[in-house]
């Protein structure tokens, strides 16, 4: 009986969803200004009416299957559904109603059903914890402090053209910062880097760093001469910090675009399959969001659904706004094409099929190009970071033994080679990351 009740409740939920869809569609139909939009909404209404009649029949059948031996207490029923009830001592007692006989062991959930309910509760709790962590991450203490000191100045900077471009990159990168908040973080980090630069400046003003032992030694030259040599540290560190944080959203946008482009061909195939079942375009995106198989596209589609349900935009306007704020050009083209197809009353399944073929073809070409590039970089890496350091170290050791002007000891030579290899590895990894985002 518990199973029949669950099925009936689910069927009732489907009916509510269909009624809401009919209400929304009728409102949009009344607001539509041209005949093409009216035809689209009329077609959607007919489809919803068919679904409503089918769902009503299913609901009646399921409702007739429920047989009660007595009136159910809602609290006890909730306990049973949550799996937190205790089994009665007498499990063989029979319950009869309407000529049907049920044993208690037949109507009580078994071990497998109880375990399934526990897993569902655990998964729901994990989702809530992740949402809470994301909320805490969005409103971090550092962001709050930065906004408290620099929010007013940040709002003034955002009116500048260069910062307006950065704001556009920040939105497209899907970073969890508001434009004013991120500019405040840039200013706060640059301000703190001034103190770091001052500490490094005063350290090198009195001490020297060398590869030979002792590694740290006092400066032998006068302070004014030393000051002129290292004065650039006070300017270089804050300027480089500001520049890196300024360009970070654009780098992140490129990474986001690359992730979207890699998921888009397979997501389009899924959309084509869903569109073939005559679902509304909004439902297509909601289904893709619920699967969690496309994390990069999920953020874009969530923004679009929020524009529809929260801000009250119609589907075509939401598609155009999302394409405008998307980091991927291919996704923008897909959404603009979808908006045109919906407006003109075209076939969505055929549209998604054609786009899926094109995107898959481009994806295969990009993968082949990436594979050949990786082979080239592998050869460069072996030559530059494996063979070259060994040869350089042998040459330095031979020059040291031969007395050809090398004053460094063997330990200093080893440390120098390790430092060079580390720096070149970092540069190489940064270069590979930039190439991956292209």
């Amino acid at each position: 009986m518990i199973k029949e009740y669950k099925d009936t409740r689910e069927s009732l939920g489907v009916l509510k969803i269909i009624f809401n869809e009919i209400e929304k569609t009728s409102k949009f139909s009344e607001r539509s200004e041209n005949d093409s939009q009216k035809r689209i909404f009329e077609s959607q209404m007919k489809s919803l009416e068919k679904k409503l009649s089918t769902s009503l029949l299913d609901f009646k059948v399921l409702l007739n299957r429920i047989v009660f031996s007595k009136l159910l207490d809602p609290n006890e029923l909730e306990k049973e559904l949550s799996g937190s009830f205790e089994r009665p001592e007498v499990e063989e007692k029979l319950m009869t109603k309407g000529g049907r006989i049920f044993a208690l062991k037949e109507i009580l959930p078994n071990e497998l059903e109880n375990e399934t309910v526990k897993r569902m509760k655990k998964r729901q709790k994990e989702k809530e914890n992740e949402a809470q962590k994301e909320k805490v991450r969005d409103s971090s203490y550092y962001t709050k402090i930065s906004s408290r000191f620099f929010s007013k100045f940040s709002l003034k900077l955002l009116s500048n053209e260069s910062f307006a471009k950065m704001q556009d990159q920040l939105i497209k990168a899907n970073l969890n910062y508001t434009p004013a908040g991120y500019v405040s973080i840039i200013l706060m980090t640059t301000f703190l880097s001034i103190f770091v630069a001052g500490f490094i400046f005063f350290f090198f003003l009195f001490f020297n760093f060398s590869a030979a032992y002792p590694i740290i030694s006092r400066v032998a030259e006068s302070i004014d001469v030393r000051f002129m040599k290292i004065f650039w540290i006070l300017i270089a560190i804050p300027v480089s910090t500001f520049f890196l944080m300024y360009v970070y959203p654009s780098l992140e946008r490129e990474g986001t675009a690359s992730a979207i482009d890699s998921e888009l061909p397979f997501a389009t195939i899924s959309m084509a399959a869903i569109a073939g079942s005559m679902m509304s375009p909004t439902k297509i995106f909601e289904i893709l969001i619920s699967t969690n198989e496309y994390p990069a596209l999920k953020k874009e589609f969530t923004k679009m659904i929020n524009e529809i349900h929260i801000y009250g935009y119609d589907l075509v306007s939401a598609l155009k706004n999302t394409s405008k704020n998307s980091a991927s050009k291919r996704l923008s083209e897909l959404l603009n094409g979808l908006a045109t197809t919906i407006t003109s009353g075209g076939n969505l399944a055929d549209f998604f099929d054609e786009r899926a073929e094109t995107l898959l073809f481009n994806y295969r070409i990009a993968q082949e190009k990436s594979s050949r590039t990786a082979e080239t970089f592998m050869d460069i890496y072996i030559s530059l970071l494996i063979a070259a350091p060994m040869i350089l170290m042998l040459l330095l050791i031979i020059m040291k033994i031969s007395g050809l002007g090398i004053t460094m000891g063997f330990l200093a030579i080893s440390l120098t080679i390790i430092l060079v290899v580390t720096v070149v590895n970092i540069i190489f990894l940064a270069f590979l990351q930039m190439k991956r985002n292209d």
Side-chain angles (χ1 to χ4, degrees):
M1 185 173 64
I2 299 297
K3 183 177 182 301
E4 282 80 5
Y5 175 79
K6 288 182 179 178
D7 294 338
T8 307
R9 187 171 61 176
E10 290 176 0
S11 179
L12 183 60
V14 172
L15 286 173
K16 290 181 179 179
I17 294 172
I18 294 174
F19 277 121
N20 290 333
E21 289 291 328
I22 291 174
E23 184 180 0
K24 292 179 183 178
T25 306
S26 62
K27 288 181 180 179
F28 286 132
S29 179
E30 291 173 0
R31 282 189 248 165
S32 59
E33 298 178 357
N34 52 50
D35 295 333
S36 61
Q37 290 183 352
K38 288 184 178 179
R39 285 197 300 271
I40 294 171
F41 289 125
E42 288 174 359
S43 175
Q44 184 67 20
M45 285 290 291
K46 291 180 180 178
S47 176
L48 289 171
E49 287 172 0
K50 291 180 181 178
K51 289 182 181 179
L52 179 62
S53 60
T54 305
S55 300
L56 279 173
L57 291 174
D58 295 339
F59 179 74
K60 289 179 181 178
V61 172
L62 291 170
L63 193 62
N64 291 330
R65 290 179 183 175
I66 299 178
V67 180
F68 300 102
S69 61
K70 62 178 181 178
L71 293 176
L72 294 179
D73 186 1
N75 295 327
E76 293 180 2
L77 185 60
E78 188 67 22
K79 275 186 175 182
E80 292 183 5
L81 292 174
S82 63
S84 60
F85 60 89
E86 295 181 359
R87 290 180 178 271
E89 295 181 359
V90 183
E91 292 194 356
E92 299 300 327
K93 183 178 178 180
L94 300 180
M95 303 173 65
T96 62
K97 181 70 175 177
R100 299 186 64 183
I101 300 176
F102 299 93
L104 288 180
K105 64 180 181 179
E106 294 178 355
I107 65 174
L108 293 177
N110 55 28
E111 298 278 339
L112 181 60
E113 290 173 337
N114 288 333
E115 190 65 28
T116 303
V117 171
K118 289 179 182 179
R119 284 201 303 268
M120 291 174 66
K121 285 186 174 181
K122 184 178 179 182
R123 193 177 299 118
Q124 183 66 25
K125 191 174 181 180
E126 288 176 354
K127 289 182 179 179
E128 292 176 357
N129 292 336
E130 288 177 1
Q132 187 66 24
K133 288 179 181 178
E134 190 70 24
K135 185 178 180 181
V136 172
R137 194 183 302 120
D138 292 347
S139 57
S140 64
Y141 184 73
Y142 186 68
T143 306
K144 291 179 180 178
I145 293 296
S146 303
S147 299
R148 183 179 300 174
F149 286 102
F150 297 102
S151 60
K152 294 182 180 179
F153 188 57
S154 300
L155 292 173
K156 293 180 181 179
L157 287 176
L158 285 172
S159 60
N160 195 336
E161 184 179 355
S162 58
F163 279 90
K165 291 180 180 178
M166 189 211 68
Q167 178 181 353
D168 183 60
Q169 300 291 337
L170 184 70
I171 294 172
K172 291 182 177 180
N174 290 329
L175 294 176
N176 296 323
Y177 299 103
T178 60
Y182 186 75
V183 175
S184 299
I185 291 174
I186 293 177
L187 297 176
M188 187 68 175
T189 308
T190 305
F191 177 73
L192 294 177
S193 68
I194 294 174
F195 294 96
V196 176
F199 175 78
I200 296 173
F201 170 76
F202 281 108
F203 175 82
F204 283 104
L205 186 63
F206 299 102
F207 297 97
N208 196 10
F209 186 84
S210 62
Y213 186 82
I215 297 175
I216 300 175
S217 59
R218 287 187 62 86
V219 175
E221 55 193 357
S222 60
I223 292 181
D224 55 346
V225 175
R226 186 67 176 174
F227 180 85
M228 296 302 295
K229 284 185 177 180
I230 63 172
F231 178 77
W232 58 271
I233 293 176
L234 294 173
I235 301 173
I237 292 179
V239 170
S240 59
T241 301
F242 181 87
F243 176 76
L244 288 174
M245 295 202 68
Y246 179 83
V247 300
Y248 173 71
S250 62
L251 299 177
E252 191 68 23
R253 183 196 64 79
E254 293 176 358
T256 303
S258 177
I260 290 173
D261 290 341
S262 62
E263 295 175 0
L264 190 58
F266 309 101
T268 309
I269 294 173
S270 300
M271 286 190 278
I274 299 171
S277 61
M278 300 301 292
M279 282 194 175
S280 64
T282 306
K283 284 293 182 183
I284 294 174
F285 295 110
E286 289 177 351
I287 290 171
L288 287 179
I289 291 171
S290 63
T291 59
N292 294 321
E293 293 181 2
Y294 311 103
L297 285 170
K298 180 180 177 180
K299 295 181 179 179
E300 302 291 330
F301 294 159
T302 302
K303 290 192 296 185
M304 183 182 64
I305 296 299
N306 287 341
E307 288 193 357
I308 296 172
H309 295 312
I310 298 176
Y311 297 108
Y313 286 98
D314 60 281
L315 178 58
V316 174
S317 299
L319 287 169
K320 291 181 179 179
N321 291 338
T322 306
S323 66
K324 182 181 178 181
N325 295 323
S326 175
S328 171
K329 292 183 179 178
R330 293 178 182 175
L331 179 60
S332 298
E333 293 172 356
L334 177 69
L335 296 180
N336 283 325
L338 179 59
T340 305
T341 304
I342 293 173
T343 305
S344 61
N347 191 309
L348 294 183
D350 293 341
F351 168 79
F352 283 124
D353 283 332
E354 293 174 0
R355 288 302 176 98
E357 291 179 5
T358 305
L359 290 169
L360 273 176
F361 178 75
N362 294 332
Y363 179 79
R364 292 192 187 101
I365 293 176
Q367 288 296 105
E368 186 177 352
K369 182 181 177 182
S370 177
S371 177
R372 293 180 180 178
T373 305
E375 292 176 359
T376 304
F377 286 144
M378 182 181 65
D379 296 337
I380 295 173
Y381 184 85
I382 292 172
S383 303
L384 190 63
L385 294 173
I386 296 178
M390 295 175 62
I391 296 171
L392 179 60
M393 189 171 183
L394 288 174
L395 287 174
L396 292 175
I397 293 174
I398 292 171
M399 293 173 69
K400 172 68 177 176
I401 295 173
S402 304
L404 298 177
I406 300 297
T407 58
M408 292 188 299
F410 293 109
L411 179 60
I413 292 173
S414 301
L415 290 176
T416 303
I417 295 298
I418 291 172
L419 180 63
V420 170
V421 171
T422 303
V423 171
V424 176
N425 263 295
I426 293 172
I427 295 173
F428 192 80
L429 289 173
F431 179 74
L432 284 179
Q433 181 69 20
M434 292 173 64
K435 291 297 293 181
R436 187 178 72 87
N437 293 335
D438 289 344

